[in-house]
């Protein structure tokens, strides 16, 4: 789950993700 | 008065702020999960993670942010996530939360293994935010301003960030005049909260350490 990713990983992953409509 | 561009910027930021929130099932968990230090710890960790994701979605909508250098975008988010989280959770302790949620959240924070020396400044901050009676527009703008701090570590093009932040500060200044006409100091007091946030941010690293230990 996202919660054991580091802060930077969560940010990189979310930045890459498309903006869901 | 706000000019046309400023009005567009404000409604755009406000819309993004209202759209990107902690998912409702997370709020439900806040109320349903049973009360133990472990449960509270897990729930707060999960909320923090979800909050970072929500913050990134909001930040993507800040005009100009996505045209910044990619690594600077990461540095800004990494440097401001904790402060933006405290600012947003502060809203939970003003009238924004449905009845009962605030008390439950407060109890969970108090009974989650976080040491008292961090709990006190945290709730002092929430109280001082509550006293300012901030409008949703102010919360949205102040969050954007916190994120667009040019002096975060590892920022390469500080000037580009500064330009974006200045545009936000100008809109916030006018909004404060419009929404709090009888409080000339209101804008200055909002900025004062940003410094308070920095101290909280500083404590947060120590808090995490002691939390992990206990």
């Amino acid at each position: 789950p996202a919660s054991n990713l580091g802060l930077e990983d969560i940010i990189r992953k979310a930045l890459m993700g498309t903006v869901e409509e | 008065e706000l000019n046309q561009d400023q009005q567009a910027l404000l409604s755009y930021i406000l819309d993004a702020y209202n759209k990107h929130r902690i998912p409702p099932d997370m709020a439900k968990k806040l109320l349903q999960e049973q009360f133990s230090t472990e449960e509270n710890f897990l729930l707060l960790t999960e909320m923090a993670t979800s909050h970072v994701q929500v913050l990134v979605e909001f930040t993507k909508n800040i005009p100009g942010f996505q045209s910044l250098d990619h690594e600077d975008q990461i540095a800004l988010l990494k440097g401001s996530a904790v402060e933006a989280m405290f600012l947003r959770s502060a809203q939970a302790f003003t009238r924004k939360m449905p009845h009962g949620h605030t008390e439950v959240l407060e109890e969970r924070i108090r009974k989650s293994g976080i040491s008292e020396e961090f709990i006190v400044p945290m709730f002092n901050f929430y109280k001082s935010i509550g006293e300012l009676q901030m409008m949703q527009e102010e919360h949205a703008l102040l969050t954007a301003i916190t994120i667009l701090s040019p002096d975060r570590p590892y920022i390469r093009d500080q000037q580009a960030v500064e330009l974006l932040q200045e545009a936000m500060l100008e809109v916030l200044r006018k909004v404060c005049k419009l929404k709090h006409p009888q409080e000339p100091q209101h804008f200055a007091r909002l900025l004062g909260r940003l410094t308070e946030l920095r101290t909280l941010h500083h404590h947060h690293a120590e808090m995490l350490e002691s939390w992990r230990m206990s």
Side-chain angles (χ1 to χ4, degrees):
Chain A
S3 54
N4 52 30
L5 285 175
L7 177 60
E8 186 165 325
D9 303 318
I10 298 171
I11 289 170
R12 281 189 189 279
K13 209 160 158 286
L15 263 177
M16 238 86 70
T18 48
V19 180
E20 82 295 345
E21 268 334 297
Chain B
E1 283 303 318
L2 290 168
N3 64 40
Q4 227 180 352
D5 294 342
Q6 289 173 326
Q7 189 52 54
L9 177 65
L10 177 58
S11 43
Y12 194 74
I13 294 259
L14 189 56
D15 183 48
Y17 189 77
N18 289 329
K19 183 178 166 208
H20 297 293
R21 301 170 164 281
I22 297 262
D25 55 0
M26 183 75 70
K28 255 198 245 100
K29 270 193 192 172
L30 176 80
L31 296 170
Q32 282 156 355
E33 296 292 335
Q34 23 99 353
F35 252 80
S36 70
T37 308
E38 292 70 31
E39 273 308 319
N40 292 343
F41 173 82
L42 285 172
L43 191 60
L44 288 172
T45 310
E46 217 180 292
M47 277 178 93
T49 305
S50 162
H51 190 273
V52 171
Q53 291 160 337
V54 162
L55 182 70
V56 173
E57 291 310 320
F58 164 70
T59 306
K60 282 181 185 176
N61 287 279
I62 297 176
F65 181 82
Q66 299 219 46
S67 53
L68 291 171
D69 168 270
H70 186 67
E71 286 311 307
D72 279 358
Q73 289 180 32
I74 309 270
L76 283 173
L77 282 159
K78 243 184 103 173
S80 65
V82 168
E83 289 174 29
M85 184 170 68
F86 276 123
L87 196 53
R88 191 120 200 199
S89 50
Q91 244 190 329
F93 292 91
T94 54
R95 61 202 181 292
K96 283 285 168 282
M97 285 271 270
H99 182 64
H101 287 207
T102 308
E103 292 71 19
V104 172
L105 182 56
E106 179 164 350
E107 254 333 278
R108 286 202 188 276
I109 292 174
R110 288 190 187 284
K111 290 200 180 66
S112 58
I114 299 174
S115 81
E116 197 52 27
E117 75 184 283
F118 301 117
I119 299 261
V120 170
M122 191 191 302
F123 282 103
N124 287 345
F125 175 70
Y126 292 156
K127 194 165 154 292
S128 71
I129 286 286
E131 280 154 6
L132 287 173
Q133 305 278 322
M134 289 166 63
M135 301 283 175
Q136 193 76 344
E137 293 88 337
E138 294 167 67
H139 271 286
L141 286 166
L142 205 57
T143 304
I145 288 162
T146 305
I147 294 162
L148 294 170
S149 303
D151 55 351
R152 296 298 184 197
Y154 311 115
I155 302 289
R156 290 184 283 215
D157 186 352
Q158 291 195 328
Q159 227 222 330
V161 177
E162 223 166 290
L163 281 174
L164 292 180
Q165 190 188 49
E166 263 154 30
M168 299 287 162
L169 283 163
E170 188 46 27
V171 175
L172 180 61
R173 199 177 56 78
K174 288 188 178 180
V175 164
C176 289
K177 273 219 172 79
L178 290 166
K179 304 279 179 178
H180 304 266
Q182 69 302 12
E183 280 177 76
Q185 289 310 323
H186 188 80
F187 179 60
R189 289 173 70 200
L190 284 187
L191 298 187
R193 296 289 81 75
L194 293 185
T195 14
E196 203 177 337
L197 260 179
R198 296 238 169 178
T199 343
L200 269 182
H201 185 183
H202 176 68
H203 287 320
H204 187 263
E206 294 159 37
M207 179 182 84
L208 279 184
E209 234 0 81
S210 81
W211 205 7
R212 277 199 198 95
M213 236 85 84
S214 69

